[in-house]
Amino acid sequence: MNISSCPITYFGQRYEKIFVSSDANKLAFCFNGLYSPEVQNDCILMSGGTADRGFLQVLTKEIPIGSGIHKLLPILNRPGKCVNVIPLKDNQESDIKQVELGNFGAQAILAIKTYSGYTNADVVADSQVDGKTISKQKFMTSDTNSGVVTDVSGCRLSGMVYRTNTSTSDPKTCSTVICDVEGVASVYSKCGPMEHCKGDGSCVPINMCTVVGSAVIGVDGKVQTVPDRCGYTLLSPASFPGLKVHGVFQEQRRKDVSFLKDVILSLDQAGVKISLEQGGRVMMNGEELKLNATALVFNGVELSKDERGVTAKILASNSMVSVFFDGNKVLLHTSEPKATIQGLCGESSGPLGGEKVAEYSSRGCDMKHEDTADGTINCDAQTKWCNLLKQAPFTACHNIINPEPFISACTDNLCKYPAVDGVSCMFLEAYAMACGHHGKVKMEDWRTKTRCYAQPSCQDKFCSDHEFCGQKFIGGQPQCLCRAIFASKYRSESTYGEPTVCEHKGASVTLAKCLLEEHGIDYSVLHLNDQACKGKIEPETHMVTFSFNSSRTCGTVAKVNGSKIIYKNTITTQSISTAGPIYRHDQVHIDFSCYYNQPDIKTMGFKLKHSSVEQKITSGAWSYNLTMKAYTDPARLGAIDSNTDLSLNERIWVELKTEGLDETLVHVVTDSCWATDQPSPAGNLKYDLVIKGCPNPADETVRVENNGMGTDSVFSFNTFQFTAKNSDVYLHCKVQLCVKQGHDCVPKCTQSGRWRRSIMPSYEDENPAFITMAWTS
């Protein structure tokens, strides 16, 4: 039957059709198809009888609040809108029964009336949702002869059904489900954001421990600094026998400052070890787990992963341990009483050495390393930065979390370690995340105030044990960089890897990918004398091996020197003909044989011919000065002059600045910038940096800032040299004026910062300005 003119909301679900079927034992009114005991359906099941036919009438008269039905069912607090009336007859056309389904908005009623032809002693009316009986009602025929009415309203939530205008408490979860009169279910937890339900209706406080940089901020707020690169027990709760949470520390850019590398959950009773690693990789007993935002359970550990990091949660009958790790810092939460928590996070943790774990501590990990002080670090400035935690908007959380331990950890780290790779913001973020777990605290956008905007993510960027994920230059994409101790011996010897390994009529050389990339060398463009012989990279270690032997000579040259036969080959870059019009890395030439030769790396330096270039421009009614000047830093404080040495692949910032223009009337647009090997802008050998106001999509180092937003603009790129050329490089820019009235002067680029078809006519003028700067090798 089509009841779309008077739809029914049956236990929170709205229906516009009803399917009626009957036999001698059962009369079924279902909403998702004809009744079948094997099908999960929403149905009202009644006792059968002799009725075998019926029809539908729809009454649309409003039933006001206060009517007889409302008095019979006080739970109804909405007026009735309409009623579906279904009279049922037998084959003699005698009235047997009448069923009515009434629409009261989000509520609904069921009315039953029987006649003399109904011979059963009583009337049964069972309500089913998804095939499960949620209520059973039985009415005496003496009552149904006069007519009975009952409520069929409710809410659905997580597979459960609740009556409207009721509340249901669950002591196991310390929560209450309220089903309102509109059929909407809401869950209210008795426990606060930093409380855990014991399973008996009571809540216990959750204690928090934070590990950020080399600092462990325990549940008592005390700070301990990890001075080495060993593994330590962070948390060992008494309520989870056999569970330990370990942290493994490792150096990054400096030898004397450690950072958290891995977090390991050890479940001794189950013989399971779950490793949360950098890049968001999770390993269980050596096998990688594929995770997403939907939590999965492995050996009693609930694991999930999103763009922020990995969360591991372990629940017992009355306790909880939660671990969040984003590759840099870890937040641990537990309902364990402070007095029974062991490990560095514990309230009464002992000396660091007592928590050291031999299984996760490599030999010599506790050796002290001295590193040259970083002259670029201003400790006073870093202390001032860390003290931002004392100011708004962080003050909103001061009554809940003391900022002093986080300030102490921040100052201790940043006075030794450079503020790169987002490290300076890491401590503020740790405090904000800790505060965020207290749901009642509303802290304004701290990122906007501090300019700690989200850094390019290292998520799914997997580095080897001797590497860490960082940024080679400011604004660059994350990549795997060498750890300081690993790289030190190679840097001191000016090598890229291990000595040659000689075998019978063959040799191999293993180089570190991260050491090559420090000099802008892409291992994939390297080859032996035979260009088909390239290096093979080991996925876990990122070590690149070049080898030859008697069956795969790879262009090896054999020479006789007295009684010795020397097999020699060379690691070099691809031929210039296949390398493109420019190069940013030094040309590589590494000879190796059974006698290892130090690599012969040619480095090239550059100098700007002029510290800045200025010229007078006249464009129609406009007359102004245009200056092009280069800098070594994004703040444009370190101007490059004719004595400044620049290296290949070094990032520089170029500012195009005007004087004499009214910014309220006209804006300047850097339309294009390109390099040639000749003074003429129309030189035959040309390389584009800026195209139609946007970065060249083929060069990922180019960034354009403030273009078309005022009378100045800036772009940056990594220096290069034309291949097979030792000549000068000339940088040319075309600048146009855009009259603001009625125009959007900002070039339209894609979200990734690359060029798409732009609205060029809005800023073209008849006399565009050209300006040129050169550098020489």
Side-chain angles (χ1 to χ4, degrees), residues 408-558:
S408 173
C410 176
T411 305
D412 184 60
N413 277 263
L414 294 185
C415 281
K416 299 177 183 176
Y417 196 87
V420 292
D421 307 324
V423 170
S424 59
C425 292
M426 184 168 66
F427 297 91
L428 307 190
E429 186 177 46
Y431 185 79
M433 290 178 64
C435 181
H437 281 79
H438 296 268
K440 296 180 181 180
V441 178
K442 291 185 178 180
M443 193 167 64
E444 294 178 11
D445 186 6
W446 65 273
R447 291 190 182 277
T448 300
K449 179 176 175 61
T450 60
R451 297 186 179 181
C452 282
Y453 302 112
Q455 295 286 320
S457 174
C458 286
Q459 188 80 289
D460 298 323
K461 185 77 174 178
F462 303 130
C463 300
S464 69
D465 285 341
H466 62 258
E467 298 171 328
F468 69 96
C469 182
Q471 294 172 292
K472 186 175 179 181
F473 55 84
I474 297 174
Q477 292 300 309
Q479 65 183 86
C480 294
L481 306 177
C482 292
R483 296 189 185 275
I485 295 175
F486 166 81
S488 61
K489 66 176 182 179
Y490 302 107
R491 290 170 181 160
S492 64
E493 297 172 359
S494 298
T495 67
Y496 292 102
E498 296 297 321
T500 303
V501 176
C502 294
E503 299 173 340
H504 180 62
K505 294 184 179 180
S508 65
V509 169
T510 299
L511 309 178
K513 178 174 176 285
C514 64
L515 290 169
L516 293 169
E517 290 182 346
E518 281 185 5
H519 291 79
I521 300 170
D522 181 355
Y523 82 92
S524 66
V525 305
L526 301 179
H527 56 76
L528 298 181
N529 289 340
D530 182 347
Q531 293 190 26
C533 294
K534 293 181 174 291
K536 293 183 179 180
I537 189 167
E538 208 286 318
E540 286 297 318
T541 65
H542 289 179
M543 299 297 284
V544 184
T545 300
F546 297 83
S547 63
F548 64 84
N549 53 43
S550 57
S551 61
R552 186 172 177 267
T553 60
C554 295
T556 300
V557 177

Side-chain angles (χ1 to χ4, degrees), residues 535-761:
K536 293 183 179 180
I537 189 167
E538 208 286 318
E540 286 297 318
T541 65
H542 289 179
M543 299 297 284
V544 184
T545 300
F546 297 83
S547 63
F548 64 84
N549 53 43
S550 57
S551 61
R552 186 172 177 267
T553 60
C554 295
T556 300
V557 177
K559 293 183 179 181
V560 177
N561 184 1
S563 61
K564 297 179 181 179
I565 299 176
I566 301 174
Y567 294 90
K568 179 182 177 182
N569 212 313
T570 302
I571 301 172
T572 187
T573 52
Q574 289 181 346
S575 62
I576 292 175
S577 61
T578 61
I582 70 169
Y583 64 88
R584 280 200 169 93
H585 57 76
D586 296 322
Q587 299 296 293
V588 179
H589 186 96
I590 304 175
D591 292 329
F592 72 104
S593 63
C594 289
Y595 295 93
Y596 178 75
N597 294 319
Q598 295 290 342
D600 176 19
I601 302 297
K602 298 178 181 179
T603 59
M604 305 184 71
F606 299 90
K607 292 182 183 293
L608 287 182
K609 286 188 172 182
H610 305 286
S611 59
S612 65
V613 180
E614 181 176 348
Q615 60 191 64
K616 184 78 173 181
I617 305 295
T618 301
S619 177
W622 310 101
S623 180
Y624 59 98
N625 289 329
L626 175 63
T627 303
M628 179 189 286
K629 197 165 185 177
Y631 300 86
T632 58
D633 63 296
R636 300 186 298 284
L637 299 176
I640 299 173
D641 58 31
S642 58
N643 295 318
T644 304
D645 285 325
L646 298 173
S647 302
L648 280 169
N649 205 26
E650 182 174 348
R651 192 162 192 81
I652 65 172
W653 284 259
V654 177
E655 182 183 57
L656 293 165
K657 191 171 185 177
T658 64
E659 291 182 0
L661 292 175
D662 187 349
E663 186 171 347
T664 63
L665 300 177
V666 65
H667 282 183
V668 174
V669 179
T670 300
D671 175 77
S672 53
C673 292
W674 65 98
T676 65
D677 64 335
Q678 302 172 16
S680 170
N684 292 330
L685 192 56
K686 176 184 177 183
Y687 183 74
D688 290 308
L689 294 168
V690 179
I691 306 172
K692 294 185 178 181
C694 300
N696 180 0
D699 191 337
E700 65 178 8
T701 73
V702 181
R703 303 283 188 275
V704 180
E705 303 171 22
N706 302 326
N707 201 11
M709 300 174 67
T711 55
D712 305 326
S713 68
V714 177
F715 68 97
S716 60
F717 61 98
N718 288 16
T719 58
F720 57 86
Q721 179 77 347
F722 286 101
T723 51
K725 295 280 183 178
N726 289 323
S727 61
D728 300 342
V729 176
Y730 295 85
L731 179 64
H732 314 275
C733 286
K734 175 183 176 183
V735 176
Q736 294 186 333
L737 300 184
C738 170
V739 179
K740 288 180 60 180
Q741 185 176 5
H743 294 304
D744 178 9
C745 298
V746 179
K748 308 301 180 187
C749 304
T750 63
Q751 291 182 351
S752 61
R754 299 310 180 197
W755 169 82
R756 70 179 183 188
R757 189 173 297 279
S758 182
I759 53 172
M760 290 294 293

